[in-house]
Structure formats: structure tokens, C-alpha cells
Amino acid sequence: MRPSFGLTALGLIAASASLLLTAATTVHAETSEAMLQQQSGVVLREMIYEKAPFPQCHASTIAETPQGLVASWFGGTRESHPDVGIWVSRQVDGQWTTPVEVAKGVQSPERRYPCWNPVLFQAPDGPLMLFYKVGPTPSTWWGMLITSNDGGKTWSPPTRLPDDIPGPIKNKPILLADGRLLSGSSTEDHGWRVHFEITTDLGRTWQRIGPINDGKKFGVIQPTLLTYGDKRIDALSRTRQGVISRTTSTDGGKTWSEMEATSLPNPNSGIDAVALADGRKLLVYNHLKRGRGFLNVAVRGKDTPWQAALVLEDQRGEFSYPAVIQTADGLVHTTYTWKRKKVRHVVIDPSKLQLRDFVDGQWPR
């Protein structure tokens, strides 16, 4: 006969099993986090905040100002909920300040729309610019802009961008040698299509180039821009086709080549890249065709292929939508969504990265 257990005994067994599982998970998480911290080139791993007045966050961005680092993201009940606003935190004496909501999608006492995808850019000898979107969905949103002259402490009233200029859609714009500010942008109302936007007067007037694809061969959004010291610019983008795409301009962003696939996978998730001072390119992305639980850093030289550099996250959950910059001291800073609950900040010394070749496109383990 099968032994009979009372409810109390069964409860104790279940509780014991739960405790063992929790302990095993905790040990694994601590070990995994320690291993990630110990990788060559990792200087610091931290959360920008531990507690916030919103349950979910996403789409962070980061910039270096004369007063220090500033980060922003959207936060609220959940993505697309009307209460989602734009939040900002500043790094002061090495510590991040309590997040402050700096923009809302309030249209009237009866109507409020969600905010989306903030993008920070510090203009040289100018203001800190914060682009963001407002609207019910990505196919119907519009671009907004606020500015700060004190490193993100206070902000101007919001201004709406022209109807055909949504602004940089996720990733930072780049300042070209001739003074033009070039933004990678995209739309989702007639297929996923990429275009570019140029301003020479800090957002007062704009020129739009494209779209450069029809949204059929490649469904593409959210380009990130890489310069090569001349007029060449690469735009790497998120796609629906399981790969990161690339298009190239050889005339400073005026015209662009046909979209093509790179060797790197993409699980239909945001990416970001930066051109390093030493000429190399650094990319933060999910090295997966599906899912967002594996977040990575790859590096390439001018004439060399992409190589594996770092694993930022490797566990269950969502780790996505990175933003990355290189600061004046040469360090690289990336922020990204951590399980939709927090924003992670990782500092990298690019001179200490140990690069490894991919094996048949797979991340080397």
C-alpha cells in the first residue's frame, strides 16, 4: 500500500522542497552574477535604482554631461499603459539620484497617452536634449523634445517635432564633422521601415532622408549609427528576419546602400553600438534568434569581423534594449532593461576586453 501522509506532513515536505529550490536558485544566481562581474573588462555592475513608484520600465538611454552621467527610460504600469512617463536619474558623486518623472503624455484632463523610447544627446556647448515619443501605439506616436541646461536637473517645456519627424527612434544621434546631427529613425505604420533625420540647429528645423527600405525583404526599425573617420557611416538595425541588418552611407548620410544581413543574430530586439576612440566598434545586443535572456557585447576592428567580448546577462528573464556610450575617460557605459523591473548599468574598460572568435555563428562558451 502507498504510505498515507497527513496534510501537515505534506505541507512540510512541500515547504522543504520549496526552500531547497529557492536556495539552489539563489546560489546559482549569486554564482552567475559573480562570474559576470569577473569577466575581463567589467569595471562595475549596478542597478540605477532599487525602488521606484512604477512597477515596470523599459528602453533606457544614457549620456555624459558636464555635470555627470544622466540616464532616462520610460516607466509605468506596463508598456503602452496611459500612465507611462519618462523618468530621469543623474549620477552625483558616484551615486544615482532617485528617479524623477520629467515628461508625461497628458493631452487634456480626460486624455493621457503613454510615453515611449527616450533618447538622450548632449550637444557640445549646448543643452542636454531628451527626445521621446507620445501616442497610443508605435504606429501612431509622434516625436517630442525637452532640453536641460544644467545636466538634467531642470527641463524646458516640451515641444512637438514636425509630423514627419519622430526623432531618433531608440538610439542616440551622432554629430558629424560638418556640424550636422544625424538621427537613425524608423516607422511602423506601413511596414517596418528605416529613415534618417538631420538637424543643423539643435532640433528647430529638420531634413528627412528615406525611407530607404520597403519593409518587405527586411522589416527593420531602430537603427544605431557607427562612423569610420571619413564620410562612411554604417547603420545596424533590429529586424524581423532573425539577423541584424546593415546599410552603409559613403557620403555622410545623404544616400544609403541596400539593406543586407550581417553575420549576427537578432531576436527582434533592440541593439545599440558605439564607435570607440581607438577605432574599434562595440555592439551590445542579444546573441539569439529567439528570446531576450542572453545579452552580449561584441567588438570589431576596421577590417576585422565581429568577435565575442562579454556576456552581460545569461539567465531566465528579459534583458534587452541596451544603450551604450564611451565617456571622456575612455570607459564604456551601457544601460539596459533588467526583467522590465529595473535598469542595469554596466561600466566596461574596452582596453581590457578579451576577444574570442565565433564558432559557426555561435557564442563561444
Side-chain angles (χ1 to χ4, degrees):
M1 293 179 61
R2 185 173 297 174
S4 175
F5 294 97
L7 290 177
T8 302
L10 286 173
L12 287 172
I13 291 171
S16 298
S18 177
L19 285 172
L20 286 172
L21 179 60
T22 300
T25 302
T26 302
V27 170
H28 173 75
E30 289 176 351
T31 302
S32 175
E33 183 67 24
M35 290 175 64
L36 295 175
Q37 176 65 54
Q38 290 168 7
Q39 295 175 98
S40 297
V42 175
V43 177
L44 174 68
R45 290 169 59 83
E46 65 177 355
M47 299 298 181
I48 288 184
Y49 62 87
E50 290 295 339
K51 295 183 179 180
F54 48 83
Q56 289 196 10
C57 66
H58 196 37
S60 65
T61 177
I62 186 170
E64 182 181 30
T65 76
Q67 292 83 11
L69 293 175
V70 177
S72 180
W73 57 90
F74 70 71
T77 297
R78 63 182 182 278
E79 181 175 356
S80 80
H81 193 279
D83 69 4
V84 171
I86 303 299
W87 296 77
V88 163
S89 178
R90 298 175 292 110
Q91 196 177 67
V92 179
D93 296 328
Q95 302 295 318
W96 292 98
T97 60
T98 300
V100 175
E101 191 174 29
V102 299
K104 302 177 182 180
V106 174
Q107 307 299 302
S108 70
E110 296 79 27
R111 178 175 297 177
R112 176 173 175 172
Y113 290 133
C115 294
W116 313 72
N117 294 17
V119 176
L120 288 165
F121 177 76
Q122 175 62 57
D125 303 318
L128 176 63
M129 307 173 75
L130 176 51
F131 299 91
Y132 62 101
K133 318 295 175 290
V134 173
T137 66
S139 62
T140 58
W141 66 22
W142 58 87
M144 302 289 292
L145 172 64
I146 57 177
T147 60
S148 173
N149 292 313
D150 53 12
K153 292 180 183 179
T154 60
W155 294 89
S156 69
T159 59
R160 182 166 173 164
L161 300 179
D163 288 343
D164 63 341
I165 303 293
I169 216 68
K170 173 194 171 294
N171 298 315
K172 59 195 175 297
I174 58 173
L175 188 65
L176 303 178
D178 60 9
R180 292 178 300 144
L181 187 64
L182 176 67
S183 299
S185 194
S186 56
T187 54
E188 301 180 33
D189 53 341
H190 293 91
W192 282 18
R193 300 186 297 171
V194 160
H195 69 273
F196 300 91
E197 299 168 1
I198 295 173
T199 179
T200 59
D201 51 15
L202 299 180
R204 287 185 288 275
T205 60
W206 294 87
Q207 174 191 1
R208 175 172 166 146
I209 298 170
I212 64 165
N213 68 305
D214 61 9
K216 297 177 181 178
K217 180 179 179 181
F218 284 104
V220 183
I221 57 173
Q222 301 172 353
T224 181
L225 303 174
L226 291 170
T227 55
Y228 285 81
D230 46 24
K231 290 188 176 182
R232 177 185 162 189
I233 305 168
D234 277 354
L236 306 178
S237 299
R238 165 186 177 177
T239 78
R240 285 173 160 163
Q241 281 67 41
V243 295
I244 293 174
S245 72
R246 178 179 62 212
T247 178
T248 298
S249 174
T250 57
D251 56 10
K254 298 176 182 177
T255 61
W256 294 84
S257 67
E258 183 177 351
M259 200 80 66
E260 62 181 7
T262 70
S263 61
L264 298 175
N266 179 247
N268 193 7
S269 185
I271 65 174
D272 196 16
V274 63
L276 300 177
D278 63 11
R280 295 181 298 168
K281 315 305 176 192
L282 185 147
L283 172 69
V284 188
Y285 69 115
N286 301 95
H287 193 89
L288 296 165
K289 287 198 172 182
R290 291 184 298 275
R292 297 180 178 184
F294 192 43
L295 188 65
N296 314 79
V297 175
V299 174
R300 68 170 297 179
K302 183 176 181 180
D303 300 310
T304 60
W306 290 102
Q307 292 180 290
L310 289 175
V311 175
L312 297 176
E313 300 286 350
D314 184 10
Q315 56 180 302
R316 292 183 179 181
E318 178 179 346
F319 310 98
S320 64
Y321 266 57
V324 62
I325 61 170
Q326 185 176 34
T327 48
D329 59 7
L331 295 176
V332 168
H333 296 256
T334 182
T335 60
Y336 53 87
T337 299
W338 189 88
K339 298 184 178 182
R340 295 271 176 156
K341 296 178 180 179
K342 299 178 183 179
V343 176
R344 173 88 85 177
H345 172 227
V346 179
V347 184
I348 300 164
D349 184 343
S351 69
K352 296 182 179 179
L353 293 173
Q354 294 183 354
L355 306 182
R356 295 178 291 166
D357 294 331
F358 294 111
V359 181
D360 296 328
Q362 300 298 311
W363 191 270
R365 295 282 184 167

